[in-house]
Amino acid sequence: MKKRGFALFFIFSCLTFLLMACSNEGQTDEEGEPNNDPGVVQELKIANDQEPAGLDPHKTPAHSSVRIYSQIYSGLVQFDENMNIVGDLAVDWEQPDDKTYIFNLQEGVKFHNGREMTAEDVKYSFERILAEETASHIASYFANVESIEVLDDYKIQFNLKTTDATFLANLTNSSAAVVAKEAVEENGDLQQVAVGTGPFKFVEWVPDNRVVLEKNEDYYKEGLPKLDKVIYYTMKEEAARLSAIRTGEVDLTTLTAQSAALIENEQNVEIKSYQSLEYSYVGFNVNAEPLNNEKVRQALSLATNRQSIADIVWNGDAIVSGPVAPSMGDWAIDVTQHELYANDLEKAKQLLANAGYPDGFDITITTASTYADMVDTAQILQQQWAEIGVNAEIKQIEWGEYIDTWSNTSADILVGRNGSGTDPDRALNYFFHTNGSANVWGFSDSEFDSLVETGKTTIDQEERKQIYVNAQEKLLELSPNLFLVSPMKYVAVRNTVEGFTPYPHNGEYIVETSKK
């Protein structure tokens, strides 16, 4: 009995020791220093402000989705930290003439289902983007592609209809991803599944809770990614994200300027900031009365005090913007000098009177309830527009409904945020050309179309810049959107995270990130 009792005690003691060891895995040592044991699982926990709207890169433009599927998929090329275009799935490329691009592909790259990726997959992916039934939000990016030829397993050729100054830059877009044909055919689309060649594999999506990714052990870049697992937690309330980053429940999260200021002196948290390529906007359904009258849209622009929005909504950490964000440098014009940015209430009232609305009108502003900056912007616009007799009601809707409302143009006025991209073609052609994939406003102007079409095919940089200056001025004059401000972005990062640097063109880059 004594021997049996001692044996049980020994087994119990060993189990206790093992459980204690497991419970301490990934934790700090007794002096609070990070545990650098190479056996510790490299797990990064991120708090997201929104639920993904779907995972299909060819169909879903919402940033809440892009931040996740950009880790799962790869494209032919990408931007480096200095915004130089470098190879990704393409080792290199050549251009025999102005309308032909030949890409040499990485050999041995595998999809997450274990199958090797070849040029046929690249051809399939871009033909899917261009197929009308896909209704891809980036179809207009590649509308200039006349044909795609597979030259061999690792070489593919794109033949363009005309010279295209934007082609390579458009290929860097996260949505220009190479996907597996069999995954599409098996599931109908890729909204709930994901089979890519990127650094992380899709594991699970628990709605309104989390998305889990794990390291792609077969990733073609040796030694990357450094993380074993990434968990994206959905935390729509900023107070919850603020608490989670303070306590160490999560390792990384985005915050507003106001919340970032609250924790800038926290010992274990670092705030990383950068000027974004985004801008906030007011979108108009230009086919709905009274917004089909450009004088009405111009009056609303004159009644909008953009600096006030920057000061109140963004705590002063935003700059007044046009359709091309100021962080794009010389491509952007100084919109503060434009007459429709003058905040001239008397002129606004006169324009309304000329349009047949001397006493103003009633209208509804729709916005996403889960984004505080959008709600705050709507409330400020409501107050500002009341000064010229416009009585605006605010309608707040959930994110899924908001995405549908945007894509279906089922709101007269929509407050939101857009990204200017990395080339002015996206900011202007993509959103406002008559056939632009993201022109959901019903806006059409032949002179504007001609400008951005010419800009897309013009190689000379100085000439191209002047074309886009003219296009921006034309767009401000017609005001299918009101362009408001471009905010600073803030990311709160725990001090146990290494190698994370957010860039204006990619605030989600975690391939070289690790945990101490």
Side-chain angles (χ1 to χ4, degrees):
M1 290 294 293
K2 286 182 179 180
K3 288 182 179 179
R4 182 172 178 270
F6 177 81
L8 288 172
F9 173 79
F10 178 79
I11 292 170
F12 177 79
S13 299
C14 289
L15 286 172
T16 302
F17 175 80
L18 286 171
L19 288 169
M20 289 175 65
C22 290
S23 67
N24 287 328
E25 184 173 295
Q27 304 300 315
T28 57
D29 62 22
E30 291 180 359
E31 297 180 356
E33 293 299 317
N35 188 337
N36 294 308
D37 184 345
V40 172
V41 173
Q42 288 276 312
E43 181 176 279
L44 187 72
K45 298 178 181 178
I46 301 174
N48 280 344
D49 53 11
Q50 194 52 261
E51 178 83 353
L55 296 177
D56 195 325
H58 298 163
K59 289 188 170 191
T60 308
H63 183 65
S64 58
S65 298
V66 175
R67 62 161 59 109
I68 293 172
Y69 67 61
S70 63
Q71 314 299 341
I72 301 170
Y73 293 96
S74 294
L76 288 173
V77 298
Q78 62 186 342
F79 280 121
D80 67 11
E81 64 273 17
N82 298 313
M83 288 190 68
N84 298 311
I85 297 176
V86 297
D88 191 0
L89 292 177
V91 178
D92 53 34
W93 58 92
E94 53 190 289
Q95 195 175 359
D97 56 60
D98 287 346
K99 297 189 291 182
T100 307
Y101 288 82
I102 299 173
F103 295 90
N104 297 301
L105 305 181
Q106 302 274 359
E107 297 186 23
V109 173
K110 292 183 180 179
F111 282 109
H112 298 157
N113 61 11
R115 180 175 68 77
E116 185 182 14
M117 182 216 70
T118 68
E120 288 288 352
D121 297 298
V122 178
K123 178 179 170 69
Y124 168 77
S125 298
F126 282 90
E127 288 181 344
R128 180 175 187 251
I129 288 169
L130 290 167
E132 188 174 344
E133 60 268 25
T134 305
S136 176
H137 60 287
I138 59 168
S140 63
Y141 278 10
F142 304 107
N144 194 31
V145 174
E146 185 170 56
S147 63
I148 305 171
E149 299 177 55
V150 171
L151 304 182
D152 64 38
D153 282 351
Y154 307 109
K155 183 173 289 191
I156 190 160
Q157 178 172 312
F158 286 77
N159 303 305
L160 309 184
K161 300 170 188 174
T162 61
T163 302
D164 191 340
T166 69
F167 181 66
L168 284 176
N170 286 340
L171 286 175
T172 67
N173 190 283
S174 296
S175 293
V178 176
V179 304
K181 180 179 181 179
E182 62 270 26
V184 177
E185 292 180 342
E186 183 179 342
N187 297 281
D189 61 27
L190 300 169
Q191 294 290 41
Q192 301 295 320
V193 297
V195 180
T197 60
F200 294 97
K201 296 180 179 181
F202 174 67
V203 176
E204 67 172 348
W205 175 3
V206 181
D208 296 315
N209 186 292
R210 67 186 181 275
V211 175
V212 180
L213 309 181
E214 68 180 12
K215 179 176 183 174
N216 175 14
E217 298 287 354
D218 292 323
Y219 190 48
Y220 79 91
K221 293 184 179 180
E222 189 174 351
L224 297 176
K226 296 182 178 180
L227 295 165
D228 296 307
K229 182 182 288 188
V230 185
I231 306 175
Y232 294 91
Y233 291 101
T234 300
M235 295 185 182
K236 297 179 182 180
E237 297 297 326
E238 183 154 59
R241 300 197 303 277
L242 190 62
S243 174
I245 195 69
R246 274 176 159 160
T247 61
E249 181 184 347
V250 300
D251 303 301
L252 187 154
T253 190
T254 55
L255 294 173
T256 61
Q258 292 89 336
S259 292
L262 292 176
I263 61 170
E264 61 183 353
N265 295 320
E266 289 274 336
Q267 184 177 359
N268 297 317
V269 179
E270 180 183 1
I271 300 295
K272 294 179 181 282
S273 62
Y274 60 97
Q275 181 62 50
S276 74
L277 288 163
E278 286 187 358
Y279 61 85
S280 58
Y281 71 88
V282 183
F284 298 130
N285 179 352
V286 300
N287 293 318
E289 293 185 359
L291 303 169
N292 58 346
N293 190 321
E294 69 183 62
K295 287 185 174 64
V296 169
R297 303 195 299 269
Q298 291 169 344
L300 293 175
S301 183
L302 284 165
T304 300
N305 186 328
R306 292 165 172 84
Q307 189 57 52
S308 179
I309 292 172
D311 293 340
I312 297 171
V313 177
W314 301 99
N315 206 33
D317 289 335
I319 48 181
V320 175
S321 180
V324 178
S327 53
M328 286 186 67
D330 291 344
W331 293 112
I333 64 173
D334 183 3
V335 292
T336 62
Q337 302 304 308
H338 197 280
E339 61 180 347
L340 291 179
Y341 278 61
N343 195 214
D344 187 333
L345 298 182
E346 291 308 311
K347 187 173 182 179
K349 291 176 183 177
Q350 186 59 54
L351 282 170
L352 281 186
N354 294 344
Y357 301 94
D359 300 319
F361 54 86
D362 295 339
I363 201 77
T364 299
I365 300 173
T366 301
T367 192
S369 61
T370 44
Y371 281 110
D373 64 278
M374 294 186 192
V375 175
D376 292 345
T377 298
Q379 291 171 343
I380 292 173
L381 293 171
Q382 181 185 52
Q383 296 165 14
Q384 293 179 350
W385 293 354
E387 296 186 57
I388 61 168
V390 175
N391 178 36
E393 175 189 348
I394 296 174
K395 180 181 180 183
Q396 299 184 38
I397 56 179
E398 290 299 312
W399 186 239
E401 185 182 355
Y402 179 89
I403 295 296
D404 290 340
T405 299
W406 175 84
S407 60
N408 297 322
T409 323
S410 49
D412 290 341
I413 296 180
L414 195 69
V415 169
R417 275 186 271 127
N418 275 336
S420 288
T422 53
D423 187 282
D425 179 73
R426 170 184 163 89
L428 301 170
N429 193 344
Y430 176 65
F431 286 112
F432 299 105
H433 186 283
T434 299
N435 298 316
S437 295
N439 181 1
V440 298
W441 316 110
F443 173 69
S444 180
D445 181 80
S446 59
E447 183 181 341
F448 176 82
D449 286 354
S450 179
L451 283 168
V452 295
E453 287 167 7
T454 304
K456 189 177 179 73
T457 59
T458 299
I459 302 299
D460 182 89
Q461 286 292 82
E462 292 307 312
E463 185 182 347
R464 193 166 183 249
K465 283 179 183 177
Q466 187 56 52
I467 290 169
Y468 286 121
V469 165
N470 297 340
Q472 288 173 79
E473 290 175 345
K474 185 67 176 176
L475 201 60
L476 295 184
E477 175 194 338
L478 297 175
S479 299
N481 279 193
L482 301 188
F483 310 100
L484 304 177
V485 300
S486 178
M488 290 287 290
K489 287 293 199 71
Y490 296 90
V491 185
V493 186
R494 296 287 298 182
N495 63 357
T496 52
V497 176
E498 290 187 319
F500 174 75
T501 302
Y503 300 103
H505 62 281
N506 186 358
E508 318 287 344
Y509 186 70
I510 57 171
V511 178
E512 297 184 57
T513 299
S514 62
K515 295 284 293 293
K516 293 181 184 178

